[in-house]
């Protein structure tokens, strides 16, 4: 894990969502996400259910988001699991960087298949980046997606990320997109702040 900071909050809310830490009751939702061929199409393919169950038994469901910047995306107000969001640091030993030292902030997002097409990933990413912009100095943020992952690239573009490079990883072409963290700062009136 990088020693550079990311978002320190353990819960962030928006109109329709709560970004929160995982609970044992998220087990079935996480299994669905990691075993769904549609969700995993550009993420290395689906895991076998037994493999995912073994992982959760060993690691603990509630520990899956223990790292700072790692969240379950949940419905507001029911708190039911909709997806996962990460705002971590891209380690220097992986390809795809803007700087020689690496460790840039990196955003990733995954929704259950039933939650696609409602702007929920956009809302989750916006509120996480806004909270990070309030807390951290200005710096680049990365999104790395397979070049063939149209939905993920469309979302990155809608958020304001621009493609700057492509590279090979996991036997596929990856697109590196970037945005500047402080472009996500909330500039509106306090009473409208999410
Ligand atoms: C990538 C992923 C999170 C995108 O989900 P998504 O729902 O398409 O993304 P958004 O939240 O931006 O929603 C956009 C869609 O919601 C629609 N929408 C409906 N209501 C909306 C609202 N209030 N606000 C914004 N968009 C809204 C948009 O029109 C758009 O529809 P379209 O897909 O038909 O064009 C999802 O496809 C996924 O989980 N993929 C698998 C995981 C993955 O590959 N992740 C990438 C690794 S970084």
């Amino acid at each position: 894990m990088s020693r550079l900071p990311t978002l320190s909050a353990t819960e962030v809310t928006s109109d329709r969502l709560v970004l929160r830490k995982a609970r044992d009751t998220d087990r079935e939702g996480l299994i669905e996400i990691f075993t769904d061929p549609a969700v995993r199409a550009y993420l290395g393919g689906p895991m076998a259910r037994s493999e995912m169950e073994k992982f959760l038994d060993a690691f603990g469901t509630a520990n899956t988001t223990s790292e700072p910047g790692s969240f379950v995306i949940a419905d507001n107000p029911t708190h039911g699991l909709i997806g996962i969001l990460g705002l971590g640091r891209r380690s220097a030993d992986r390809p795809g960087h803007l700087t020689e030292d690496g460790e840039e902030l990196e955003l990733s997002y995954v929704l259950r298949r039933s939650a696609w097409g409602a702007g929920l990933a956009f809302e989750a990413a916006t509120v996480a980046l806004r909270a990070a912009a309030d807390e951290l100095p200005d710096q680049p943020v990365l999104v790395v997606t397979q070049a063939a992952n149209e939905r993920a690239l469309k979302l990155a573009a809608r958020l304001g990320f621009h493609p700057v490079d492509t590279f090979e990883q996991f036997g596929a072409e990856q697109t590196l997109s970037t945005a500047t963290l402080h472009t996500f700062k909330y500039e509106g009136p306090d009473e409208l702040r999410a």
Side-chain angles (χ1 to χ4, degrees):
M1 196 175 103
S2 172
R3 273 177 295 162
L4 291 174
T6 177
L7 178 56
S8 68
T10 53
E11 190 164 304
V12 186
T13 56
S14 66
D15 276 355
R16 295 181 290 173
L17 301 172
V18 184
L19 308 190
R20 60 163 174 80
K21 293 296 178 180
R23 302 169 177 168
D24 289 341
T25 48
D26 294 322
R27 182 180 169 95
E28 275 308 312
L30 291 172
I31 291 174
E32 182 196 301
I33 283 177
F34 281 86
T35 58
D36 184 333
V39 172
R40 299 283 303 169
Y42 303 104
L43 302 174
M47 280 172 78
R49 187 181 172 96
S50 57
E51 191 189 348
M52 187 59 188
E53 283 175 341
K54 223 163 107 185
F55 167 75
L56 291 175
D57 288 343
F59 195 69
T61 302
N63 289 328
T64 52
T65 56
S66 57
E67 290 197 1
S70 177
F71 299 95
V72 157
I73 304 170
D75 175 72
N76 188 10
T78 68
H79 273 247
L81 182 139
I82 291 173
I84 311 164
L85 179 139
L87 188 61
R89 293 274 172 186
R90 188 167 180 84
S91 63
D93 56 4
R94 303 173 70 189
H97 289 284
L98 284 182
T99 63
E100 224 166 85
D101 292 343
E103 308 269 319
E104 302 93 336
L105 281 174
E106 179 181 11
L107 174 71
S108 61
Y109 30 66
V110 180
L111 293 185
R112 290 172 101 139
R113 180 65 190 90
S114 55
W116 294 8
L120 293 169
F122 179 84
E123 187 170 320
T126 300
V127 77
L129 290 164
R130 183 177 291 172
D134 278 349
E135 181 182 333
L136 299 169
D138 203 12
Q139 58 195 293
V141 187
L142 311 182
V143 171
V144 176
T145 63
Q146 275 195 27
N149 192 347
E150 282 177 24
R151 270 190 175 270
L153 280 170
K154 242 169 84 177
L155 169 55
R158 249 194 322 270
L159 287 165
F161 286 79
H162 303 285
V164 288
D165 198 9
T166 58
F167 61 93
E168 284 283 312
Q169 194 185 15
F170 309 125
E173 188 182 36
Q174 311 287 331
T175 301
L176 171 66
S177 303
T178 186
T180 305
L181 181 61
H182 281 198
T183 58
F184 298 100
K185 271 198 171 195
Y186 177 70
E187 307 286 1
D190 269 356
E191 57 272 25
L192 294 181
R193 178 180 274 273

